[in-house]
Amino acid sequence: MTAASDTVAALLRTSALPPLEARILLGHALGWRRTELIMRADQPLDAERVALWRELEARRLAGEPVAQLVGAREFYGLEFDVTPHVLIPRPETELLVETALEAVAGCARPRILDLGTGTGAIAVAIASARPDASVWAVDRSVEALQVATRNATRLVDAGRPGGALSLLQGNWYAALDPSLRFDAIVSNPPYIASDDPHLEQGDLRFEPRGALTDEADGLSAIREIVADAPAWLAAGGVLWVEHGYDQAAAVRELMSARGFQSVRSERDLAGIERISGGERANPSVHINA
Ligand code: GLN
């Protein structure tokens, strides 16, 4: 094929990729926006750019996620850096952000904790929607925390009233100052059971296994988060976690058994109960007669 025939129109026409993915990857290879792909569809392309496109196309055809190939994914209207060290933000996780924001809507200068932050998507989205909120984000993965730090630095205004994000490396609550109490704790933990065949399919094959599965029944991370949450919640504080499509009843049961009140689940846009949450019970009042 001669270089002269390599145009956006020709490359898109002959690509084996779904059209949307082909446009995203070609735009990335060329450094062009969607509108440029349309306006310059018949312009002869630089051979180096075409070679880059062919490499991206081949890697995508071999299964690599688009978000990793372009190094970015949009979440809650913000563009997050993505690497193979972090879970790719999913649209259904925006429900967790929205629900947490509703929970603290009446709370001035709320304190919010995101456990297992990965890209930082949840924490950063909350911080940008509530400039007065103080937000902590924890991950046990050093590599994930580097990605979250980059995203937080780029997307969260350090001069906002709630200040910069506090990013900490550690297992769940382990790295937090014991005097902290939160108005909301949110988490999208690894909740896929270790024997779930989905781990061997699609994008999941390329994402960090530790962000996807607990290497157990899928509920062990949620059990740990729920068990310790009351100690870290302020009076009236809420815990909301994302979970698998068939885990809502089990997660509600864990929360109720731990003494959470007003326990409920919310459905994602696909109609699936995708997140569950509850309010910390008031500490029992001891009256000394
Ligand atoms: N929602 C992801 C998936 O099923 C899993 C994310 C997670 O385990 N937290 O692809």
Side-chain angles (χ1 to χ4, degrees):
M1 196 182 273
T2 67
S5 67
D6 287 330
T7 62
V8 166
L11 294 176
L12 291 180
R13 197 168 49 239
T14 54
S15 178
L17 290 175
L20 178 63
E21 293 187 0
R23 281 199 297 273
I24 292 170
L25 293 178
L26 187 51
H28 182 71
L30 297 170
W32 291 3
R33 293 170 189 285
R34 272 181 64 134
T35 47
E36 285 181 281
L37 291 177
I38 296 164
M39 314 248 310
R40 303 166 74 177
D42 298 316
Q43 177 184 321
L45 299 174
D46 185 69
E48 263 176 53
R49 298 292 174 155
V50 174
L52 176 56
W53 147 254
R54 295 221 184 277
E55 187 202 323
L56 292 172
E57 183 190 38
R59 287 170 62 186
R60 178 58 191 146
L61 287 169
E64 280 185 64
V66 172
Q68 288 181 5
L69 291 171
V70 304
R73 173 56 49 93
E74 192 255 45
F75 178 84
Y76 211 77
L78 301 163
E79 175 109 330
F80 288 86
D81 280 12
V82 169
T83 76
H85 293 295
V86 291
L87 187 83
I88 300 165
R90 312 278 203 272
E92 60 267 27
T93 304
E94 293 180 354
L95 179 62
L96 193 59
V97 172
E98 282 158 12
T99 306
L101 287 170
E102 273 168 39
V104 298
C107 179
R109 302 187 65 93
R111 295 173 162 233
I112 297 165
L113 170 63
D114 175 21
L115 293 172
T117 196
T119 50
I122 296 168
V124 167
I126 290 174
S128 56
R130 276 296 298 264
D132 63 329
S134 298
V135 182
W136 281 256
V138 172
D139 208 290
R140 71 179 168 193
S141 156
V142 175
E143 293 88 355
L145 217 55
Q146 286 168 352
V147 178
T149 303
R150 273 211 308 278
N151 283 321
T153 306
R154 188 165 48 79
L155 298 169
V156 178
D157 169 18
R160 60 194 275 288
L165 244 60
S166 302
L167 291 139
L168 301 169
Q169 193 259 322
N171 196 40
W172 304 135
Y173 306 93
L176 295 162
D177 181 324
S179 68
L180 286 169
R181 294 294 177 271
F182 300 98
D183 301 297
I185 298 174
V186 291
S187 182
N188 176 17
Y191 55 69
I192 301 177
S194 60
D195 60 358
D196 189 320
H198 289 104
L199 290 168
E200 262 53 71
Q201 296 168 15
D203 285 6
L204 275 63
R205 292 169 294 164
F206 296 87
E207 292 179 282
R209 203 176 149 92
L212 294 167
T213 176
D214 59 350
E215 302 295 353
D217 65 350
L219 286 169
S220 63
I222 293 175
R223 274 190 210 98
E224 287 180 46
I225 289 168
V226 171
D228 289 344
W232 294 94
L233 285 170
V238 298
L239 168 66
W240 278 95
V241 301
E242 182 175 318
H243 49 65
Y245 70 97
D246 57 354
Q247 293 171 332
V251 174
R252 287 196 302 269
E253 178 52 34
L254 285 172
M255 290 180 172
S256 297
R258 190 68 186 88
F260 280 86
Q261 294 175 338
S262 311
V263 173
R264 64 189 168 92
S265 303
E266 292 280 349
R267 292 178 194 274
D268 64 18
L269 292 174
I272 295 164
E273 287 184 320
R274 177 56 65 185
I275 63 172
S276 296
E279 212 175 282
R280 195 199 81 166
N282 288 322
S284 50
V285 181
H286 297 284
I287 299 166
N288 298 312

